[in-house]
Amino acid sequence: MPLIIPKTLPAYDALYEENVFVMHRERALSQHIRPLEILILNLMPTKIATETQIARLLANTPLQVHMTLLQTASHAATHVSAAHLETFYKTFDEVKNNRYDGMIITGAPVEKIDFEQVDYWPELCEIMDFSETNVYSTLHVCWGAQAGLYYHYGIRKQLLNEKMFGVFEHRVTRPSNPLVRGFDEVFYAPHSRHTGISREDVLNCKALRILAESDEAGPFLMSTENGRQIFVTGHPEYDKYTLDAEYKRDVAKGLPIAVPKNYYPEDDPAQPPLFRWRAHAHLLYENWLNYYVYQNTPYDLGAIKRVEHGEE
Ligand SMILES: CC(=O)SCCNC(=O)CCNC(=O)[C@H](O)C(C)(C)COP(=O)(O)OP(=O)(O)OC[C@H]1O[C@@H](n2cnc3c(N)ncnc32)[C@H](O)[C@@H]1OP(=O)(O)O
Ligand SMILES: N[C@@H](CCO)C(=O)O
């Protein structure tokens, strides 16, 4: 919970300016006696692994967070049991009249095909439109980020010559932004994708800010000024062995796949990988929940207003 101190205490203004999570008693009393409502659109075929990874990161907070899992109706998943989806997942029809403090749109292994060839593209467009009207802040991950950048800003993904695969060094480019509060100046994050976006396209988009990037992997974390649309090009939620499983899966299939970079000691896949991104994954999700969602979302979800692009 935030530190509740009187607004007139000198520490209040000083800490508020530093984006330290303080609240005065009147504001604390007037709001947030309900859990944060977070919707997860899980587009990954590895649904259970992904929902567990995201839940782990969302749980790292004393805030009460209520997570709702969403599946697509226009594509029937084949790598998870229908019973699991039936029990734990909703469809867009069931949630489209609700409002949410936050939404996460995951990655998906469809980046080599055009957006319009993805079975659920029209449904995803509807959900992304809903993110502008019915959700306070939406975090897009990997292909989800590419889809969001294309849908909202017309930024196209580009096929890479070789898969961006491994754990890469990143640097914070806007240290004052609350999403990267507490980040080391240099940090690591995993990537696993065949496509990327151009840095120039992002810089040319007036609505977007690059908050962290990598010389090798490109822009990593982007946001609108007000944090209502956030894009992460890597997979901070991945577990220690997720890249290892993807690598060994492709080797077993006889695919021409390079060893993931900076992941195994001495680049030796026989050795256990190094987990070097976990702390920053937790920090990113915690900052998102604390600074963008909890502190800015209206107490009355009905008061969420459509994202005004001119206001970004
Ligand atoms: C760029 C990013 O966002 S990275 C995120 C994606 N990463 C991952 O998916 C990693 C984990 N995935 C995997 O290891 C593999 O996909 C596996 C092992 C689960 C399945 O592999 P395969 O059986 O070879 O199938 P394939 O790789 O073609 O994947 C099929 C998945 O692709 C997706 N897909 C493929 N074509 C389409 C399409 N036209 N429209 C929508 N989804 C499609 C589906 O999600 C499908 O899984 P589902 O039927 O369970 O929903
Ligand atoms: N992360 C994905 C990339 C393919 O979309 C995988 O290796 O399965």
Side-chain angles (χ1 to χ4, degrees), residues 108-111 163 165 192-194 235 238 246 249-250:
V110 291
E111 80 269 42
K163 185 176 182 181
F165 195 32
S192 177
R193 52 187 162 79
H194 298 277
H235 279 291
Y238 267 14
E246 291 180 0
R249 172 202 68 200
D250 290 349

Side-chain angles (χ1 to χ4, degrees), residues 11 39 55 75-77 79 83 121 127 191-192 197 207 228 235 244 272 274 302:
L39 186 64
H75 168 85
H79 294 87
W121 181 248
I127 296 171
H191 291 257
S192 177
I197 42 137
R228 292 202 50 192
H235 279 291
D244 179 66
L274 276 175

Side-chain angles (χ1 to χ4, degrees), residues 68 163 290:
T68 303
K163 185 176 182 181
N290 278 347

Side-chain angles (χ1 to χ4, degrees), residues 43 45 47 71-79 85 110 118-120 123:
L43 301 174
K47 293 230 172 344
Q71 61 170 321
T72 54
S74 46
H75 168 85
T78 57
H79 294 87
L85 295 175
V110 291
V118 174
D119 298 343
Y120 48 76
E123 185 179 3

Side-chain angles (χ1 to χ4, degrees), residues 18-93:
E18 289 170 35
N19 287 319
V20 172
F21 197 6
V22 290
M23 242 186 208
H24 56 83
R25 189 171 157 72
E26 293 68 35
R27 184 161 182 227
L29 284 177
S30 72
Q31 62 181 185
H32 300 305
I33 48 170
R34 62 165 177 81
L36 291 176
E37 295 291 341
I38 306 290
L39 186 64
I40 316 289
L41 174 59
N42 189 352
L43 301 174
M44 295 282 277
T46 47
K47 293 230 172 344
I48 294 175
T50 301
E51 74 210 19
T52 307
Q53 289 167 355
I54 291 175
R56 181 181 297 118
L57 296 174
L58 291 177
N60 190 37
T61 169
L63 298 171
Q64 285 184 53
V65 178
H66 178 230
M67 180 172 106
T68 303
L69 293 165
L70 184 63
Q71 61 170 321
T72 54
S74 46
H75 168 85
T78 57
H79 294 87
V80 62
S81 75
H84 182 79
L85 295 175
E86 181 64 32
T87 309
F88 298 111
Y89 279 70
K90 302 226 179 279
T91 59
F92 184 54
D93 260 356

Side-chain angles (χ1 to χ4, degrees), residues 2-282:
L3 180 67
I4 297 169
I5 51 177
K7 199 169 182 342
T8 46
L9 193 72
Y12 184 94
D13 282 344
L15 294 180
Y16 193 82
E17 283 294 305
E18 289 170 35
N19 287 319
V20 172
F21 197 6
V22 290
M23 242 186 208
H24 56 83
R25 189 171 157 72
E26 293 68 35
R27 184 161 182 227
L29 284 177
S30 72
Q31 62 181 185
H32 300 305
I33 48 170
R34 62 165 177 81
L36 291 176
E37 295 291 341
I38 306 290
L39 186 64
I40 316 289
L41 174 59
N42 189 352
L43 301 174
M44 295 282 277
T46 47
K47 293 230 172 344
I48 294 175
T50 301
E51 74 210 19
T52 307
Q53 289 167 355
I54 291 175
R56 181 181 297 118
L57 296 174
L58 291 177
N60 190 37
T61 169
L63 298 171
Q64 285 184 53
V65 178
H66 178 230
M67 180 172 106
T68 303
L69 293 165
L70 184 63
Q71 61 170 321
T72 54
S74 46
H75 168 85
T78 57
H79 294 87
V80 62
S81 75
H84 182 79
L85 295 175
E86 181 64 32
T87 309
F88 298 111
Y89 279 70
K90 302 226 179 279
T91 59
F92 184 54
D93 260 356
E94 294 175 282
V95 303
K96 67 182 183 196
N97 296 318
N98 299 346
R99 288 174 190 242
Y100 292 88
D101 298 294
M103 174 159 81
I104 296 171
I105 301 180
T106 71
V110 291
E111 80 269 42
K112 284 185 175 165
I113 59 178
D114 289 342
F115 291 117
E116 292 76 10
Q117 283 181 286
V118 174
D119 298 343
Y120 48 76
W121 181 248
E123 185 179 3
L124 179 57
C125 291
E126 253 194 276
I127 296 171
M128 291 192 289
D129 187 54
F130 163 89
S131 82
E132 296 208 315
T133 53
N134 288 42
V135 180
Y136 185 73
S137 178
T138 302
L139 184 71
H140 307 70
V141 179
C142 198
W143 182 83
Q146 296 178 354
L149 289 168
Y150 176 62
Y151 177 76
H152 294 293
Y153 309 110
I155 295 176
R156 292 178 176 276
K157 64 183 162 73
Q158 300 170 354
L159 193 63
L160 301 172
N161 291 331
E162 77 176 49
K163 185 176 182 181
M164 187 65 66
F165 195 32
V167 181
F168 299 96
E169 191 174 289
H170 297 70
R171 62 182 177 284
V172 171
T173 48
R174 288 197 177 230
S176 60
N177 190 285
L179 263 187
V180 289
R181 176 163 182 256
F183 271 48
D184 290 331
E185 286 174 10
V186 168
F187 65 96
Y188 296 91
H191 291 257
S192 177
R193 52 187 162 79
H194 298 277
T195 49
I197 42 137
S198 130
R199 183 172 187 269
E200 278 59 46
D201 285 352
V202 178
L203 293 176
N204 287 334
C205 176
K206 276 174 43 190
L208 294 171
R209 314 279 175 268
I210 299 178
L211 311 183
E213 63 183 337
S214 157
D215 286 341
E216 214 169 341
F220 170 68
L221 178 62
M222 289 152 284
S223 168
T224 55
E225 189 63 32
N226 55 19
R228 292 202 50 192
Q229 300 289 356
I230 297 167
F231 305 91
V232 183
T233 59
H235 279 291
E237 79 284 1
Y238 267 14
D239 291 327
K240 175 172 177 171
Y241 286 97
T242 311
L243 294 180
D244 179 66
E246 291 180 0
Y247 172 66
K248 289 178 178 159
R249 172 202 68 200
D250 290 349
V251 168
K253 280 186 183 170
L255 296 173
I257 181 78
V259 173
K261 291 184 180 161
N262 318 312
Y263 180 53
Y264 303 108
E266 296 154 40
D267 290 330
D268 174 7
Q271 297 194 45
L274 276 175
F275 200 173
R276 286 191 292 178
W277 61 93
R278 176 166 47 180
H280 281 80
H282 279 281

